[in-house]
Amino acid sequence: MNSNQLIALAPIITIAVTAVAVMLGIAVRRNFILSCGIAAVGIVIALSTLGIASRESAVRATLLILVDAYSLFYMALLLSGGLAVLGFCYDYFKEREGENEELPLLLLTALLGGLVLVGSSHFASFFIGLEILSISLFVLIGYPLNQSRPLEAAIKYLVLSGVSSAFLLMGMALIYSQCGELHFSGIGGYMTSRDNISAMVLSGTLLIMVGLGFKLSLVPFHLWTPDVYEGAPAPVTAFIATVSKGAVFALLLRYFITTYSYDYTPLLTVFSVIAGLSILGGNLLALLQTNVKRLLAYSSIAHMGYLLVAFIAGGRISSMWVVESVSFYLLAYFITTIGAFGVVSVLSTPQTEADDISCYRGLFWRRPWLAATFTLMLLSLAGIPLTAGFIGKFYIFTSAADGRLWGLLLAVIVGSGLGLYYYLRIIVVMSMNVDGAAIKPPQDWVSTAILAVLTMLLVWFGIYPGLLVNVIQSVSYAME
Amino acid sequence: MIELLGWVPLFPFLGFLILILAGERLSKPLIAWVGVGSVAASALLAALIGAEFLNGTMQPYRLVLGVWMEVDDLSIPFGFYLDALTVTMLFVVTGVGFLIHVYAAGFMDDDPGYARFFAYINLFVSAMLVLVLADNLVLLYLGWEGVGLGSYLLIGFWYEDPNNGYAARKAFVMTRVGDTALLVGLFLLFTQLHTFDIQLLMLRATSQWTSGSLLPVAAAALLLGGALGKSAQLPLQSWLPDAMAGPTPVSALIHAATMVTAGVYLIARTHALFIMAPSVQFAVAGIGATTLLMAGCSALVQTDIKRILAYSTISQIGYMFLALGVGAWSSAIFHLLTHAFFKALLFLAAGAVIFCFHHEHNIFKMGGLRKAMPLAFWSFMIGSAALSALPFTSGFYSKHEILLAVFDASPGLWAAGCLGAIITGIYSFRLIFVVFFGRKCPVTKARVGWQMSVPLILLGALALLGGTLKIPLDSVFPVLFNHDHTFDLVSVVTALAPFVGLLIAVLFYLTHTFSAQRLAGSGLANQMRIFCFNGWGIDALYGALVVRPFKSIAKLNKNDAVDGIYVAIALLSRVGCSRVSASQTGRIRWYASSVALGAVVIIAIGWLS
């Protein structure tokens, strides 16, 4: 391994070392602030190593990991997301009973899994990354051990994730049986050498799709989503909704482009069905939901459906375009979703999780800034102009129209209409007047700062997306 | 100094912003200082700029503050244009506006909406200044709609009374009819001449179009439509009497001195276009003459002091239209100027009377006020003298000039104008004799504060002497070569006409030689009185022609057929929601098997497709 490869792997190594450091720190002294501090420093160092790594061209660090502009972009995205979630975790858990020091450690290992996932170019690293991520998540979801809800959610996720991993492994095995290759580019070589894809490879790819579809909570593998989102602590939910899904989607896109799977229409047909069902199903499920966490869970199903539309359209346009649109949408989705769950997490107290819509009644009068932030996040989720969500939605519409996916475009339009209904409902509830004086909010400075940054980014990318689009376009060249 | 032109409309706008944002928290004197002070600053600046301009070469000055919008070959700047016409209008708007603001500070003193009032009226002044300063038609239209908004807000200022809200809506909707015509006219001009700049438009119109052809006639007719709505001329005049529901300073400023003359200004500003369309220009004169007679007759029989003045305003604007129609552009603007003085004076004096009578408007419940309110009495005397154009008052100079010019164009129209002058004399002095002479009525508070008396005195001086303030408009308008009428018969008849009216008023209302009741008592005359009282049935006509058919159509579609589609969509979504929600059982067995089931289904789809 030469120095170039070491530099390329630096973010992954840094996160792994930080996890060990946090563990050692706990062994010396149990202190939640210290744990969070080490973890935060580690993530920041990892982010800064990205800057060094980005000067190099694509580096194949070992057989398993490929570090190019694409993976660096997603690593940056995941690390930033992880940092924001860590901040919310700090405020959420600092007042709670129990030994919370291991939480940053688990967050780091989950992040490590995500980093491996977005850099992987091999089935082995793919599976290892996914499992590191998932196993950390089981514990994170069930972290408040003495409560029944998180425990239930953790066990559900554990069992179902196991089921989906079984499908995933079976799919890999089927593909390996035909190609004799585990490397993505090897599989790509096999695919291009045939005119017709064999039933085994098709089934294998579809079984992989089952596994990934589960992680992305696409219909019909979505049933776990609301239960787990509701049960998990709010910051962890934010992590599942963003970092976990983002990493998996980035991998899916890389796999599809590297293996030339776009050339096989049966796959795209299946994807179209899944996308359409996810958009309609997610939005319909959210329509009359009164639990905000469940509502956001359903809406995330719909958002993954939208993302899939851009993904499918990429097959008809160009892989560069699909990377651009998917990356922008994911970034906007990260900002918005972390912000929305951040608000939920700020409002939650050690006694109650702020998930029922009644907790939000009159929020504009009690905590106007928080309510304004949440409103912006919801508007962005609904794709209203002047927010990053609008630009993301615009990419989806353009993709669907350019790719001539009229059926899916119709689904996106109907879905957006339905979405507006339930997002606005929360805003209406927040603006209802309630009696009673304003209560002094707890001092959550870290969360407040993160929410402020997220809100600024949301508006900035909504009004001047040009800078970000330039960055993303340079990333998309890497996938040519 | 002239470079600071942009501040003239900006001062009142800043005043508006301060008052609308922080008005409720400011103290009353501070509100008055901001509200009146902003207009005072604007008036001072306008006076300095005007003096500099009039003492200079009188070359038009153009100030571009920035680009408003720029799309393709359409570029609209925030551009101001200053020539002698603009200077005249600036003097009227800021000068008279300032005096009325001072008056309002006293008049509105006990009103809870003090800050709101000054915010709105500052907004109005700002919009009116944009209207007169604009160098392009789009910016003019912004001011045009801005004054419409200000008018709407101020007519409905006392919104607790639904009638006031109705009057405000009526004014807004009726002027919108005209505004729409104006907007279409703007589109027509732009599509044909590819610019909105007024001076360039006039230049291109005269060079590219032939006189009397379809395009200039259509464009001029559409602009005229806008002018008719704003200036309350036939057939869109019936909103103005109802607009008297607003506070009296508003009636003085908006519905007498400034906004309602915007139509006159628009036609004068685009006079080159009207010269290109002789038929439309003749229509302007015809409409003016008809309106001045109809409104004069209505003013004769009103009993509400403000409605008399409102009809008189319509009638006087009719004179201005008459002047525009015969090409006496500068006479029209001159009459606009003097009318602003004496009509503002009359309204403010009427406001003082109303103020002292606790918002009583009926003139027959007043009487003998000559001694109790000498200031109001003399204000009314001067105002009415100028209104009916008695010699050596300001109104005499302007109206005399108009009627002589009209005589050269058409003796028939001149006769109508002279008849109108007689009617003006009758209703002006009828008002005075009924209110200030005769039986004495007890007055509760006969004293008005200095804020109200000083503007009355100043406006009185202007109404009396304003005839000497003639601003040279020859640099703007083509010169009209008049015959010399100095002491011929026409001139003498024109000058004597108001005296006839005065005499009739004396006989009927002062000496009671003849009885108006007896005259109006008989069947036909009484019906005519009621007909005139109701503004010649215009409202009833529109009710039958427009409102009732519209309501019946609306009633036909009471259940909104199109809405059914949306209701169905909502219903469908709810059903869909409850169906798919049933799949969320919370049972892990079902969740796991759904994953397996889903796998089977997608593999099946993959194989089959």
Side-chain angles (χ1 to χ4, degrees):
Chain A
M1 185 176 278
N2 59 30
S3 65
N4 263 356
Q5 288 172 323
L6 260 183
I7 290 172
L9 285 178
I12 295 175
I13 295 169
T14 315
I15 292 297
V17 169
T18 315
V20 175
V22 172
M23 196 160 66
L24 290 175
I26 294 168
V28 175
R29 186 151 176 259
R30 276 202 165 274
N31 185 328
F32 184 55
I33 299 178
L34 184 72
S35 291
C36 285
I38 298 174
V41 169
I43 295 176
V44 171
I45 294 174
L47 271 171
S48 55
T49 58
L50 286 177
I52 303 166
S54 68
R55 286 190 212 124
E56 315 292 331
S57 51
V59 178
R60 184 164 298 286
T62 76
L63 190 63
L64 302 178
I65 308 277
L66 174 69
V67 180
D68 57 4
Y70 178 82
S71 38
L72 286 174
F73 173 79
Y74 277 99
M75 281 181 184
L77 189 60
L78 297 186
L79 287 170
S80 315
L83 191 62
V85 169
L86 181 69
F88 289 126
C89 279
Y90 169 74
D91 279 330
Y92 185 89
F93 283 101
K94 70 181 176 197
E95 303 277 309
R96 270 162 226 257
E97 294 170 9
E99 293 168 332
N100 298 326
E101 289 77 12
E102 283 86 355
L103 194 97
L105 171 63
L106 290 164
L107 214 54
L108 284 170
T109 49
L111 213 46
L112 181 66
L115 296 184
V116 171
L117 212 47
V118 296
S120 73
S121 58
H122 192 280
F123 272 151
S125 51
F126 172 6
F127 190 70
I128 291 168
L130 197 62
E131 287 307 301
I132 298 176
L133 179 61
S134 302
I135 291 167
S136 313
L137 281 180
F138 304 149
V139 191
L140 277 172
I141 294 167
Y143 203 86
L145 257 181
N146 46 3
Q147 293 172 25
S148 59
R149 273 285 175 86
L151 209 57
E152 183 195 328
I155 289 180
K156 272 183 182 166
Y157 192 64
L158 170 69
V159 173
L160 294 171
S161 186
V163 172
S164 80
S165 292
F167 279 97
L168 185 70
L169 274 179
M170 188 65 196
M172 289 177 182
L174 284 180
I175 290 174
Y176 181 67
S177 72
Q178 297 298 306
C179 316
E181 282 278 1
L182 286 172
H183 203 278
F184 291 174
S185 51
I187 299 166
Y190 168 83
M191 299 279 236
T192 43
S193 63
R194 309 291 161 105
D195 287 339
N196 220 337
I197 190 167
S198 76
M200 287 287 238
V201 174
L202 177 65
S203 308
T205 315
L206 287 174
L207 286 178
I208 291 178
M209 199 45 222
V210 173
L212 296 184
F214 171 83
K215 298 284 178 203
L216 294 173
S217 63
L218 291 164
V219 176
F221 317 109
H222 65 289
L223 291 170
W224 61 275
T225 323
D227 293 5
V228 172
Y229 273 40
E230 187 188 359
V236 175
T237 314
F239 194 86
I240 306 171
T242 57
V243 177
S244 153
K245 286 186 178 175
V248 171
F249 208 96
L251 174 95
L252 176 67
L253 189 54
R254 155 102 67 192
Y255 177 80
F256 247 64
I257 291 174
T258 323
T259 60
Y260 302 101
S261 298
Y262 267 128
D263 299 344
Y264 298 98
T265 43
L267 286 176
L268 293 182
T269 311
V270 171
F271 272 65
S272 304
V273 172
I274 291 176
L277 285 178
S278 299
I279 293 170
L280 293 179
N283 281 315
L284 279 178
L285 280 166
L287 201 65
L288 298 177
Q289 187 52 248
T290 55
N291 183 309
V292 172
K293 276 166 96 179
R294 287 183 83 89
L295 186 143
L296 288 171
Y298 291 133
S299 106
S300 83
I301 297 174
H303 278 279
M304 287 301 132
Y306 298 145
L307 202 52
L308 213 51
V309 173
F311 180 85
I312 298 161
R316 306 231 185 146
I317 310 169
S318 73
S319 52
M320 259 171 71
W321 171 257
V322 68
V323 171
E324 186 184 331
S325 50
V326 164
S327 300
F328 195 100
Y329 195 88
L330 266 178
L331 195 139
Y333 175 76
F334 262 58
I335 296 173
T336 315
T337 308
I338 292 180
F341 281 111
V343 172
V344 177
S345 135
V346 167
L347 280 175
S348 299
T349 59
Q351 289 80 34
T352 50
E353 192 84 359
D355 53 4
D356 195 81
I357 200 157
S358 61
C359 302
Y360 296 83
R361 220 181 142 83
L363 196 67
F364 265 110
W365 274 264
R366 285 182 285 136
R367 301 181 69 174
W369 289 105
L370 199 64
T373 306
F374 200 32
T375 303
L376 270 176
M377 299 298 166
L378 291 170
L379 290 179
S380 175
L381 283 173
I384 302 293
L386 299 187
T387 60
F390 167 72
I391 310 285
K393 203 59 145 297
F394 189 76
Y395 266 113
I396 305 289
F397 276 107
T398 319
S399 301
D402 284 355
R404 288 188 293 286
L405 304 168
W406 305 122
L408 285 176
L409 184 61
L410 186 70
V412 175
I413 293 171
V414 171
S416 302
L418 291 174
L420 210 55
Y421 172 76
Y422 55 81
Y423 293 129
L424 288 183
R425 200 154 48 96
I426 302 182
I427 299 176
V428 168
V429 168
M430 285 198 294
S431 54
M432 281 177 183
N433 204 351
V434 285
D435 298 331
I439 45 158
K440 193 171 161 53
Q443 310 279 303
D444 290 341
W445 296 120
V446 181
S447 302
T448 312
I450 295 171
L451 281 177
V453 170
L454 289 173
T455 311
M456 275 191 287
L457 288 177
L458 184 82
V459 176
W460 180 27
F461 293 146
I463 298 173
Y464 295 111
L467 194 69
L468 185 65
V469 169
N470 285 344
V471 171
I472 290 175
Q473 274 171 347
S474 69
V475 168
S476 63
Y477 291 136
M479 292 298 277
E480 263 302 273
Chain B
M1 193 52 81
I2 206 164
E3 311 78 45
L4 296 177
L5 189 60
W7 283 96
V8 175
L10 207 57
F11 276 129
F13 190 72
L14 290 177
F16 158 72
L17 283 183
I18 293 171
L19 290 173
I20 204 77
L21 292 176
E24 299 301 322
R25 267 162 279 165
L26 301 180
S27 67
K28 228 167 205 180
L30 200 59
I31 293 169
W33 274 105
V34 173
V36 182
S38 62
V39 181
S42 179
L44 189 67
L45 192 60
L48 291 171
I49 289 173
E52 184 180 323
F53 180 82
L54 293 176
N55 290 329
T57 55
M58 307 251 282
Q59 281 304 307
Y61 173 77
R62 189 182 290 260
L63 178 76
V64 176
L65 293 175
V67 177
W68 181 10
M69 45 181 116
E70 198 158 22
V71 183
D72 208 20
D73 66 335
L74 166 75
S75 172
I76 298 167
F78 279 111
F80 292 152
Y81 181 83
L82 191 79
D83 63 5
L85 174 60
T86 316
V87 168
T88 316
M89 293 304 289
L90 278 186
F91 284 166
V92 172
V93 176
T94 59
V96 176
F98 166 63
L99 292 177
I100 292 172
H101 270 70
V102 175
Y103 178 91
F107 187 85
M108 300 298 289
D109 194 42
D110 53 355
D111 198 285
Y114 202 61
R116 191 162 58 90
F117 177 82
F118 277 106
Y120 289 168
I121 206 161
N122 273 359
L123 175 68
F124 166 80
V125 171
S126 172
M128 187 74 203
L129 288 168
V130 168
L131 195 167
V132 299
L133 280 168
D135 78 340
N136 61 72
L137 284 175
V138 180
L139 194 59
L140 183 143
Y141 191 74
L142 177 75
W144 189 270
E145 291 299 334
V147 294
L149 172 69
S151 162
Y152 167 77
L153 291 170
L154 286 163
I155 295 170
F157 182 73
W158 288 314
Y159 55 85
E160 287 91 347
D161 184 354
N163 285 332
N164 295 348
Y166 173 77
R169 281 202 304 281
K170 183 175 176 186
F172 197 72
V173 171
M174 287 200 75
T175 49
R176 288 298 307 174
V177 175
D179 294 355
T180 309
L182 174 61
L183 194 61
V184 176
L186 255 61
F187 295 152
L188 178 70
L189 284 171
F190 184 75
T191 49
Q192 296 300 320
L193 301 173
H194 310 289
T195 181
F196 276 122
D197 187 289
I198 297 171
Q199 304 306 319
L200 205 56
L201 266 180
M202 295 303 118
L203 207 66
R204 288 190 189 168
T206 40
S207 61
Q208 294 180 15
W209 289 346
T210 52
S211 182
S213 64
L214 180 66
L215 280 172
V217 168
L222 286 166
L223 293 192
L224 175 61
L228 291 181
K230 221 33 145 203
S231 291
Q233 296 294 294
L234 194 74
L236 295 173
Q237 80 277 45
S238 68
W239 64 269
L240 189 61
D242 289 343
M244 296 299 122
T248 307
V250 170
S251 311
L253 180 62
I254 300 181
H255 304 118
T258 54
M259 186 190 84
V260 288
T261 58
V264 180
Y265 170 77
L266 178 71
I267 295 176
R269 180 50 87 202
T270 56
H271 64 272
L273 188 65
F274 281 84
I275 292 173
M276 301 279 296
S279 53
V280 179
Q281 207 193 341
F282 185 72
V284 174
I287 288 170
T290 318
T291 312
L292 79 89
L293 285 176
M294 283 173 70
C297 289
S298 292
L300 272 179
V301 294
Q302 297 299 316
T303 55
D304 180 321
I305 188 167
K306 284 180 76 179
R307 284 181 86 91
I308 297 174
L309 294 176
Y311 276 112
S312 131
T313 303
I314 299 175
S315 165
Q316 294 305 306
I317 297 171
Y319 276 106
M320 298 177 209
F321 270 67
L322 184 59
L324 294 171
V326 299
W329 314 106
S330 53
S331 310
I333 296 300
F334 188 34
H335 195 55
L336 189 160
L337 180 76
T338 58
H339 174 255
F341 297 146
F342 62 72
K343 191 52 67 64
L345 173 70
L346 283 171
F347 264 112
L348 295 190
V353 172
I354 293 166
F355 188 74
C356 295
F357 264 104
H358 284 290
H359 298 279
E360 176 58 59
H361 283 198
N362 191 335
I363 54 170
F364 289 105
K365 291 185 179 165
M366 306 169 181
L369 281 181
R370 187 162 32 115
K371 290 278 159 53
M373 304 185 68
L375 182 65
F377 171 63
W378 284 108
S379 300
F380 254 103
M381 283 303 279
I382 295 170
S384 296
L387 171 61
S388 43
L390 297 186
F392 310 117
T393 59
S394 61
F396 170 75
Y397 293 103
S398 53
K399 201 184 270 180
H400 201 69
E401 207 178 289
I402 290 176
L403 286 175
L404 293 187
V406 170
F407 182 80
D408 293 338
S410 151
L413 290 174
W414 171 79
C418 283
L419 183 59
I422 297 173
I423 295 172
T424 311
I426 303 176
Y427 69 70
S428 309
F429 287 97
R430 165 180 178 260
L431 174 61
I432 290 186
F433 294 149
V434 170
V435 173
F436 292 98
F437 292 84
R439 190 171 47 85
K440 270 197 180 140
C441 287
V443 181
T444 43
K445 47 172 181 180
R447 295 198 62 79
V448 293
W450 66 268
Q451 296 108 319
M452 288 165 73
S453 50
V454 169
L456 281 177
I457 295 166
L458 288 175
L459 279 172
L462 283 171
L464 206 56
L465 308 169
T468 55
L469 282 178
K470 196 158 194 322
I471 289 171
L473 290 166
D474 297 343
S475 54
V476 184
F477 300 119
V479 184
L480 195 69
F481 290 103
N482 273 329
H483 298 281
D484 189 20
H485 285 296
T486 315
F487 281 110
D488 67 0
L489 186 65
V490 174
S491 177
V492 173
V493 170
T494 311
L496 283 182
F499 287 102
V500 178
L502 174 59
L503 187 66
I504 294 173
V506 168
L507 292 178
F508 271 94
Y509 295 100
L510 190 64
T511 62
H512 295 283
T513 317
F514 302 102
S515 166
Q517 273 85 6
R518 197 174 324 145
L519 186 65
S522 58
L524 185 65
N526 193 38
Q527 275 172 10
M528 270 184 67
R529 184 184 67 83
I530 292 169
F531 186 60
C532 287
F533 184 84
N534 292 327
W536 296 64
I538 293 277
D539 277 336
L541 184 69
Y542 288 157
L545 281 183
V546 183
V547 179
R548 233 171 298 148
F550 185 77
K551 274 188 178 168
S552 56
I553 292 172
K555 206 170 278 175
L556 274 182
N557 192 23
K558 199 163 61 179
N559 295 325
D560 197 356
V562 180
D563 196 46
I565 299 171
Y566 303 108
V567 171
I569 290 176
L571 209 67
L572 207 67
S573 304
R574 276 171 186 273
V575 172
C577 177
S578 64
R579 286 287 147 78
V580 290
S581 295
S583 67
Q584 295 288 345
T585 57
R587 287 174 196 280
I588 201 163
R589 249 178 305 168
W590 156 239
Y591 286 7
S593 42
S594 83
V595 172
L597 212 66
V600 172
V601 170
I602 67 165
I603 290 174
I605 295 173
W607 278 6
L608 291 177
S609 64

